[in-house]
Amino acid sequence: MRHLYRPLRNSGCRIIDDVDFKDCRSLLLENEKLLIHLLLDKGGEPIRWLHKPSDTDFIWLSQKGFFPSHPLYTDYEMSYLGGWQEMFPEVSYNSSYRGATVFRGESAMTPWDYDIVKDEPEEIQVLLTNRIRSLPFLTSKRITLTSGSETVRIEETITNLSPSVTLEANWGHHLAYGAPFLDRKCFISLDPGTLICNPKSGETWSWPLMEQNGDIVDLSRLPAPGTERELLYLLTQDNKYRITNPIRSVALEVRWDGTVWPYLWYWQNFMADTEAPFFGCDYNIGLEMFNVPPKLTLDEAVQRGLALAVPPLGSVSSWLEFTVCTHDS
C-alpha cells in the first residue's frame, strides 16, 4: 500500500515509499548519515547503502548490473546483480524437498510487501513480509534506523503456516562486497579465536593464516587479481566481522545471531572465476552467515540434522546489524 498523504520530511529520519526504479517498487530509508534504497520487487534487497559523510556505497554491483525483470531470467544466478540478498528456504542450489522444488534464494527473487511501523524524525521502522510459494512459510523482517545513527538493525522471523507438518529450511544472508567500497587496500578483522575451515578437505586453521598449495596465505588481506581461492567457512566466537578501507577511512562492521547462523561462508572471487556468471570480470568477496556449511542442499542439511526445523504454526527468529565506522573507531 502506498501512503499518499503521509507527511514528507527532508531532515532527521525519513521514508519515501512511492518510488519505482527500473519497474521495481522501492523503499528509501534515510537519516543524517545513511541512505538505503530497497528493491521491494526484487527480494527487498538494497541497491544502495550509502554512507553520506564518506560518500561510500557498500553495495557492490556486478558487471551485469541491474535490469528490469524478465521471464527468461527468473532464477537467482541469472538475476544476480551483486550486493546483499536474503537466502531462504534454500541457499546453495535448487533442489527437491518433500515433493516440492525449493529454489535457491527464492526470497531474494520474489516481491516483498511492507508496512510502515514507525515514522518519526527520531526513528523509523518498516516491516517487510514475503510468503514464498514453494513451502508454506511466511518471512518477515523489521528494519530500524534512528536519528544520527550509523547502525541499521534487522530483526527477522520465519513462520511455518502449516497447522500439522514440521518443515525444515536453510536460511541466511548472501553479503558480497566489491567496488566502490572493496579494494586491495582493505583488510578483514575477526576475533582471534576464529577457525578457518575447508569444507572439501576438512582442514582447519586459526584466523587469519591458512595453507594453500604449500604457501601460507593471510586471509585478512586481499590478493592480486587472478588469484584463485576456494570457498571456505569460518567459525567465530563473537559473531561479528569488520571490513576496513583505510584509504576511505571507513569500515563496515556486521554482527549477527550466531545461534541461528553459526557458519560464516568466505567466498573469494578475485577475477579468477572464468565460468558463468562472472567470466573473470569481478573482484569481490562474500562474508555470508548461514545455518549450514557450504554447500549443502536442504535435503542434505535435513539428513545431517543441520536444517532449521520449524514446528507447525511455529517460528524461528534471528537478527543482524550493520554499523558504519570510521577507520580509527
Side-chain angles (χ1 to χ4, degrees), residues 153-168:
R153 182 173 175 87
I154 303 176
E155 298 170 298
E156 308 195 71
T157 299
I158 55 172
T159 300
N160 178 1
L161 301 178
S162 172
S164 58
V165 179
T166 294
L167 293 173
E168 289 92 3

Side-chain angles (χ1 to χ4, degrees), residues 49-199:
W49 198 287
L50 177 66
H51 181 241
K52 296 178 183 179
S54 65
D55 192 30
T56 300
D57 199 323
F58 293 96
I59 300 301
W60 158 67
L61 301 177
S62 75
Q63 49 85 20
K64 291 193 299 185
F66 175 56
F67 300 94
S69 61
H70 191 284
L72 285 177
Y73 309 114
T74 56
D75 71 297
Y76 175 78
E77 190 166 286
M78 288 302 295
S79 63
Y80 181 64
L81 62 85
W84 307 346
Q85 295 85 33
E86 175 119 10
M87 304 295 284
F88 179 82
E90 179 62 284
V91 301
S92 296
Y93 308 98
N94 297 346
S95 65
S96 295
Y97 166 76
R98 299 179 72 103
T101 299
V102 285
F103 294 93
R104 179 190 183 196
E106 181 179 347
S107 61
M109 300 181 291
T110 49
W112 288 65
D113 206 350
Y114 77 98
D115 287 296
I116 296 175
V117 178
K118 187 175 184 179
D119 184 12
E120 303 291 342
E122 296 77 23
E123 184 174 89
I124 52 176
Q125 287 185 356
V126 294
L127 181 68
L128 274 57
T129 54
N130 182 347
R131 181 168 176 171
I132 62 172
R133 295 188 179 186
S134 60
L135 300 172
F137 274 111
L138 175 70
T139 58
S140 65
K141 53 186 174 185
R142 182 186 298 256
I143 304 173
T144 301
L145 179 62
T146 59
S147 178
S149 176
E150 294 169 306
T151 294
V152 178
R153 182 173 175 87
I154 303 176
E155 298 170 298
E156 308 195 71
T157 299
I158 55 172
T159 300
N160 178 1
L161 301 178
S162 172
S164 58
V165 179
T166 294
L167 293 173
E168 289 92 3
N170 285 337
W171 188 23
H173 288 267
H174 189 290
L175 306 180
Y177 304 93
F181 168 57
L182 191 85
D183 59 36
R184 287 198 60 196
K185 299 294 185 180
C186 290
F187 57 89
I188 302 163
S189 303
L190 289 125
D191 72 72
T194 295
L195 195 64
I196 305 165
C197 306
N198 186 320

Side-chain angles (χ1 to χ4, degrees), residues 9-29:
R9 290 190 300 276
N10 59 6
S11 63
C13 294
R14 64 215 93 141
I15 301 171
I16 296 178
D17 66 334
D18 56 356
V19 175
D20 288 335
F21 179 75
K22 294 186 182 291
D23 298 330
C24 271
R25 292 174 305 127
S26 292
L27 196 62
L28 274 64
L29 310 178

